[in-house]
């Protein structure tokens, strides 16, 4: 009897609050924008350092400074060879391990006042400009999925794998979140 009442209560709660209904592939696609460290899932498009400089001045400089020196927002450039010092300066150039994840972060979270409003081309361009501010690409660089994935960041080897048994290690299908796998299994 208790099981029957519990099951009825759960079923009623699901209806009342809308829990448990499947989402469509279109709904999933809007959120399935992960870009992985190796560049997997980088979208089509490209952007130049020059284009990125213009967007950065309009959208980013008020928080991050004209040349990435920081302000209201984090410092983005500089900090070379400071990580082992008493006062490490963690920037894209000194600390960030993988260039494709910079694209991912900018696309998801910037600009702070309007995240996810930049086009893929604009995100590639801003990424190119931030990398150029750190001396990691030349002034005439164009970033796209292939060129961005090919960049080896200075601190790539500064991170160690998380040895906890409940944390998936990089590689293969383990990149997908458990949530993503569960959604795929329902379709």
């Amino acid at each position: 009897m208790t099981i029957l009442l519990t099951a009825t209560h759960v079923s009623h709660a699901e209806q009342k609050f809308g829990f448990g209904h499947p989402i469509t592939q279109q709904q999933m696609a809007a959120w399935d924008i992960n870009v992985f460290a190796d560049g997997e899932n980088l979208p089509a498009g490209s952007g130049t350092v020059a284009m990125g400089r213009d967007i950065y001045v309009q959208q980013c400089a008020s928080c991050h400074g004209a040349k990435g020196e920081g302000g209201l927002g984090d410092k983005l450039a500089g900090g070379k060879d400071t990580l082992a010092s008493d006062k490490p300066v963690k920037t894209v150039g000194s600390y960030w391990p993988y260039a494709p994840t910079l694209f991912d972060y900018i696309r998801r979270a910037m600009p702070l006042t309007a995240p996810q409003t930049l086009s893929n081309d604009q995100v590639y361009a801003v990424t190119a400009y931030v990398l150029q501010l750190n001396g990691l690409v030349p002034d005439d660089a164009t970033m796209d999925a292939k060129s961005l994935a090919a960049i080896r960041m200075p601190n790539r080897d500064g991170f160690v794998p998380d040895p906890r048994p409940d944390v998936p290690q990089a590689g293969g299908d383990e990149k997908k979140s458990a949530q993503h796998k569960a959604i795929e299994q329902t379709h």
Side-chain angles (χ1 to χ4, degrees):
M1 181 70 165
T2 303
I3 293 171
L4 183 58
L5 288 174
T6 303
T8 303
H9 179 71
V10 170
S11 177
H12 179 69
E14 288 174 356
Q15 291 172 354
K16 184 177 178 181
F17 297 106
F19 294 137
H21 62 316
I23 64 171
T24 66
Q25 287 295 335
Q26 185 178 7
Q27 289 169 320
M28 177 64 181
W31 289 97
D32 191 17
I33 61 172
N34 292 341
V35 172
F36 298 102
D38 63 0
E40 182 183 339
N41 287 348
L42 278 166
S46 65
T48 66
V49 169
M51 182 179 153
R53 183 180 299 112
D54 292 342
I55 297 165
Y56 182 92
V57 166
Q58 295 168 8
Q59 301 283 337
C60 315
S62 62
C63 290
H64 295 287
K67 297 290 182 184
E69 69 275 9
L72 296 173
D74 291 339
K75 185 174 185 169
L76 301 177
K80 185 178 178 187
D81 299 325
T82 65
L83 293 183
S85 72
D86 290 340
K87 294 186 179 189
V89 179
K90 295 179 179 179
T91 68
V92 169
S94 70
Y95 185 71
W96 208 278
Y98 299 99
T101 61
L102 176 60
F103 176 98
D104 183 78
Y105 183 78
I106 292 169
R107 178 167 66 166
R108 277 178 199 286
M110 295 293 135
L112 184 62
T113 57
Q116 296 185 24
T117 59
L118 299 176
S119 70
N120 291 336
D121 290 341
Q122 290 173 316
V123 177
Y124 275 116
V126 172
T127 302
Y129 182 63
V130 172
L131 292 170
Q132 184 273 333
L133 285 174
N134 283 280
L136 300 171
V137 299
D139 293 345
D140 62 350
T142 298
M143 289 289 104
D144 59 19
K146 186 176 180 180
S147 61
L148 190 58
I151 294 174
R152 183 156 178 89
M153 299 296 280
N155 194 38
R156 176 180 274 184
D157 298 326
F159 290 81
V160 295
D162 188 333
R164 294 176 294 173
D166 61 324
V167 176
Q169 301 304 309
D173 231 14
E174 295 165 349
K175 288 180 182 175
K176 292 183 180 178
S177 71
Q179 211 173 33
H180 189 169
K181 286 180 189 177
I183 291 168
E184 285 179 343
Q185 290 171 357
T186 64
H187 295 286

